[in-house]
Amino acid sequence: MITKILSTSDEDLALAGKIIRNGGLVAFPTETVYGLGANALNPEATKNIYLAKGRPSDNPLIVHIAKKEQIVPLVENVTENAKKLMDAFFPGPLTIILKKSNLVNNVVSGGLDTVAVRMPVNKIAHRLLEFCDCPVAAPSANSSGLPSPTKAKYVIDDMNGKIDAIIDGGDCDFGVESTVITLATDVPTILRPGSVTKEMLESVIGRVEVARAVLEGMKNDEVAASPGMKYKHYAPKNAKIIMVKGSKEQYENFVNTKKGALALCFDDDNITIDKLTYGKENDDESQAHELFDALRLIDEMNFKKVYARIPSTTGVGMAVYNRLIRACAFQILDLTKPFTIGLTGGSGSGKGYVAKVFEDFGFNVIDADFYARQIFDKKPSIIPLLQTEFGNDIIEEGKLNRQLLADRAFKNAESTKRLNEITHPAIIELCKENAKFPCVFDAPQLFESGGDELCYKTIAVIADDDIRLKRIMERDNITKEQALRRFSVQKSNDEFEQICDYVIYNNNEDISSQIKNILEEML
Ligand code: TXA
Ligand code: MG
C-alpha cells in the first residue's frame, strides 16, 4: 500500500475525512500525540487499526468526537460527573470512560462493556473530525509497544506502507497521551495520567483515585482496569533503561562513573558521559513534551544501558513517571538507600571472602560484626536499656562486664531476642553512619535486624552444608555438634535463596564472574 502524506490544508483534510468515512486509516496530529484514525462505527475498519499497529485485540480504542453532543449515542448515560468533566475539559487532553451503548462494537471496546471518549482541542484534529462526520476510533499512531509518536516522522517510521494516509501537522503540544479517567466505577479512577492532572480533576468532581498500576508494575494475577496498562510499553528496542532514584547530586555522581552508558537527564544536570535530555527539572510540562522524542532517539543510538533521572509524581509529573517507569520495565535503582547491596548467608558460606571480591569491583564493605563489637563504646545510650533488661550490675565501676552480659543474654532464645532488639538498631545506625556509596553491607542477621529494608538489593552467599561445616570447624576450632547447633539457629540455604534477590554460590565457583553478572543486571 502507498501511504499518502497529506498537508493540513482544508482540501487534504477533506480528503482524509473521506478516506476515514469510507473505511480507510489515516494518522493525524492531536494536542497529545499522533492518532491512527478509523470510522468507529465500521468494525472492519477498526480491525485494520489493530493489524497496522500489531495491537492485541483486547486493548480497546478511544473514540474521538468533534462536538460534545456526539457522546450521547455512544454511551448508556452521560452521568453528572461526565457532564461536569466535559464542561471543564472538552475539548482537551482528557478521555472519559462510561458504560457503552449498543452502537459501539466489540472491536472498538476490546470486548468490554465500556467506551472511552475524547474530544481533541488540536485545530487540525478538530477540522478532520468535522470532515469525517462520524466518531473516529484512534489509538496512538505507533507500532504497538513503541513510544507514541509526537512528530509526523515517527508515524512515517512506524506506519508507512500500512495505512492510507498520514497528515503532517508538526509537533504535538503536550507530548504524552490524554488522561484516561473511568466514571464506570464507584469512585472515578485515573487509569492513565496525562496533562489533565488529578488535582485538576478533583477540583471539578471531588475525590478521584489513581489505579495502582499507574505508578507500580502489575502483579502477575492482577486484572488490568485498563488493558493498555498490562503491556510492556514505550521501551526502546535495544537499550535497557534504569530509573535512578536520588537527588540531583546522587544521580550525577553515580551516572558520571558509568562511561559507555547514556544519561537520560534534565537540561541542567552536570553530566560528563553521553547524555540526552528530557526537559527541565521542576518543569513537568517540558518533560512530558520531550520524553517520547528522547525515547525514540535512544533507538537510533547504540547504547546498551541508559540511566534515567527520576521525575516527580505530582502534577503532569505523574504522567511522565507513568510512561518512563514502563520504558524501564519498572527497574528503579534506589540511591537513597544507605546500602547498595545487603550480603548475607549462613556460617561458613564465605560471605567475608565474597565481600572482599566486591572490593575489587570498587565497593566499600561495611562489616556488621565489626561494628557490632563497637556499639557499647560508640552507642552508649543503649547501656541503660541493657541494664533494665539484664540487671544493673552488668556495669561495674563504670565499665561493662561483657562476660556477665553474655551469660545472661545468651541464656535462652527469649533473652537473646531481647538483646538483639536492643542492639540491632544501634548496630544498623553505626553501619549507616559509615556507609559510602557504592556499599556492600555484610550482615549475617540482615533480615532479622531489618537491615534488608535499607539495601537496594540483597544477595545470599550459598555453600553446601558439608562444606560450611568443614570450614567453621577448622576456622573456629569447634566440634561438629557445636557447628550443627550454630546452623540450627540460622536460616537454611533454601530460605536464604528464597528471601534474597540474587544468589552467589561459593563452594568452588568463580566469584568474580558471578558478581559481574549480577552487577550487569542490577546497576
Ligand atoms: O491522547 C490520546 O489519548 C491518544 C490520541 C491519539 O488521542 N490516543 C491514545 O490511544 O493514546 P491508545 O489506544 O494508545 O491508548 C488508549 C488507552 C489504552 O491504554 C486503553 O487500554 C485504554 O486507553 N482504554 C481505552 N478504552 C478503554 C476502556 N473502555 N476501559 C479501560 N481502558 C480503556
Ligand atoms: Mg498507545
Side-chain angles (χ1 to χ4, degrees):
M1 179 187 282
I2 296 204
T3 302
K4 289 191 188 70
I5 307 296
L6 301 178
S7 76
T8 58
S9 69
D10 254 15
E11 203 187 339
D12 275 9
L13 294 181
L15 172 62
K18 200 168 142 201
I19 295 173
I20 288 181
R21 205 171 47 248
N22 292 336
L25 299 187
V26 179
F28 61 98
T30 81
E31 68 276 19
T32 57
V33 299
Y34 274 75
L36 176 56
N39 183 342
L41 305 180
N42 179 337
E44 281 312 310
T46 44
K47 261 184 208 154
N48 287 334
I49 290 181
Y50 289 88
L51 287 180
K53 279 181 63 85
R55 179 173 174 120
S57 62
D58 66 347
N59 192 3
L61 309 175
I62 296 174
V63 179
H64 295 64
I65 56 178
K67 294 191 269 310
K68 288 182 193 171
E69 310 86 87
Q70 280 179 289
I71 196 174
V72 178
L74 299 171
V75 300
E76 220 170 55
N77 172 29
V78 182
T79 63
E80 279 312 305
N81 277 342
K83 281 181 198 146
K84 287 186 195 160
L85 289 180
M86 287 167 66
D87 282 343
F89 303 112
F90 274 21
L94 177 69
T95 296
I96 295 176
I97 293 176
L98 289 166
K99 282 261 181 311
K100 79 176 187 75
S101 73
N102 288 334
L103 190 64
V104 178
N105 62 63
N106 277 329
V107 182
V108 168
S109 72
L112 300 177
D113 62 356
T114 51
V115 63
V117 183
R118 127 166 167 83
M119 180 176 167
V121 66
N122 174 289
K123 286 210 174 66
I124 304 159
H126 185 78
R127 191 85 180 119
L128 170 69
L129 290 168
E130 282 181 335
F131 279 121
C132 291
D133 202 25
C134 61
V136 171
S140 49
N142 51 287
S143 296
S144 196
L146 293 188
S148 301
T150 52
K151 298 173 189 289
K153 72 169 177 183
Y154 296 134
V155 183
I156 296 170
D157 286 348
D158 285 14
M159 293 298 154
N160 198 22
K162 297 183 185 164
I163 61 176
D164 297 285
I166 297 169
I167 299 169
D168 184 346
D171 292 4
C172 299
D173 288 339
F174 291 106
V176 287
E177 309 91 332
S178 61
T179 305
V180 176
I181 184 169
T182 179
L183 300 178
T185 46
D186 290 342
V187 182
T189 303
I190 294 175
L191 302 183
R192 181 177 72 184
S195 299
V196 175
T197 64
K198 177 172 190 275
E199 295 79 3
M200 289 158 75
L201 293 163
E202 285 186 325
S203 73
V204 176
I205 55 169
R207 184 159 83 94
V208 167
E209 281 184 358
V210 178
R212 207 194 55 84
V214 162
L215 297 178
E216 292 167 42
M218 298 251 312
K219 304 237 165 68
N220 280 339
D221 53 354
E222 190 173 342
V223 177
S226 171
M229 288 198 289
K230 73 180 175 221
Y231 298 107
K232 185 173 172 211
H233 212 321
Y234 311 114
K237 288 179 201 144
N238 306 312
K240 175 171 166 174
I241 312 186
I242 297 175
M243 196 187 259
V244 182
K245 182 174 172 186
S247 67
K248 175 177 155 73
E249 287 71 28
Q250 280 173 319
Y251 175 79
E252 290 167 347
N253 290 339
F254 169 73
V255 165
N256 286 337
T257 66
K258 292 283 167 186
K259 293 256 170 320
L262 179 75
L264 178 59
C265 58
F266 295 143
D267 288 353
D268 294 329
D269 289 345
N270 296 309
I271 300 298
T272 55
I273 64 167
D274 289 305
K275 67 170 183 177
L276 198 59
T277 60
Y278 78 101
K280 292 189 183 60
E281 182 161 27
N282 303 322
D283 179 355
D284 47 15
E285 288 181 11
S286 74
Q287 295 161 20
H289 186 73
E290 291 180 32
L291 178 66
F292 285 155
D293 198 18
L295 292 178
R296 289 255 171 186
L297 286 173
I298 290 172
D299 266 345
E300 294 167 18
M301 301 172 162
N302 232 339
F303 292 97
K304 280 216 187 79
K305 278 224 172 146
V306 180
Y307 296 98
R309 180 92 193 271
I310 197 168
S312 86
T313 53
T314 54
V316 182
M318 189 190 280
V320 178
Y321 186 99
N322 168 269
R323 307 312 190 273
L324 189 53
I325 194 75
R326 280 165 172 73
C328 299
F330 298 97
Q331 189 171 351
I332 305 180
L333 164 58
D334 192 346
L335 298 179
T336 65
K337 301 256 177 163
F339 311 115
T340 322
I341 292 169
L343 193 68
T344 190
S347 294
S349 60
K351 279 182 307 92
Y353 174 71
V354 173
K356 272 256 162 316
V357 185
F358 265 105
E359 282 180 341
D360 299 340
F361 283 84
F363 280 77
N364 303 291
V365 173
I366 293 285
D367 176 355
D369 287 341
F370 172 80
Y371 289 102
R373 289 191 287 273
Q374 304 184 7
I375 49 161
F376 304 115
D377 299 329
K378 296 269 169 66
K379 297 279 171 195
S381 60
I382 66 166
I383 290 184
L385 303 175
L386 291 170
Q387 281 183 296
T388 309
E389 190 65 36
F390 299 108
N392 279 326
D393 55 344
I394 59 168
I395 297 291
E396 272 175 344
E397 294 166 11
K399 272 193 71 183
L400 178 69
N401 183 338
R402 286 176 188 246
Q403 191 55 53
L404 189 61
L405 173 63
D407 289 346
R408 289 180 183 163
F410 296 122
K411 201 170 65 200
N412 56 42
E414 184 52 35
S415 59
T416 308
K417 185 166 160 257
R418 287 294 302 131
L419 176 76
N420 287 341
E421 281 167 2
I422 295 169
T423 54
H424 277 164
I427 298 169
I428 296 246
E429 244 341 275
L430 196 55
C431 290
K432 262 168 72 176
E433 286 163 16
N434 287 281
K436 240 182 74 208
F437 181 86
C439 174
V440 167
F441 182 38
D442 170 356
Q445 306 238 48
L446 183 65
F447 289 89
E448 293 78 356
S449 64
D452 60 304
E453 299 279 335
L454 306 173
C455 301
Y456 165 51
K457 296 282 175 186
T458 56
I459 300 179
V461 180
I462 302 285
D464 293 343
D465 285 354
D466 51 337
I467 293 180
R468 292 169 53 212
L469 259 181
K470 191 158 167 279
R471 282 181 190 155
I472 63 171
M473 283 165 62
E474 277 168 17
R475 182 190 66 194
D476 300 342
N477 201 13
I478 54 175
T479 65
K480 188 170 176 189
E481 286 63 43
Q482 287 170 314
L484 285 173
R485 210 171 311 132
R486 225 185 264 178
F487 284 7
S488 72
V489 296
Q490 299 177 349
K491 289 192 196 327
S492 67
N493 279 345
D494 281 353
E495 287 171 310
F496 277 120
E497 288 206 33
Q498 281 269 322
I499 201 168
C500 289
D501 297 311
Y502 299 95
V503 173
I504 289 177
Y505 295 97
N506 187 24
N507 295 306
N508 234 323
E509 295 86 347
D510 177 24
I511 303 300
S512 283
S513 63
Q514 293 182 74
I515 290 181
K516 198 163 156 268
N517 289 341
I518 291 174
L519 292 180
E520 224 146 70
E521 198 182 315
M522 187 173 102
L523 289 180

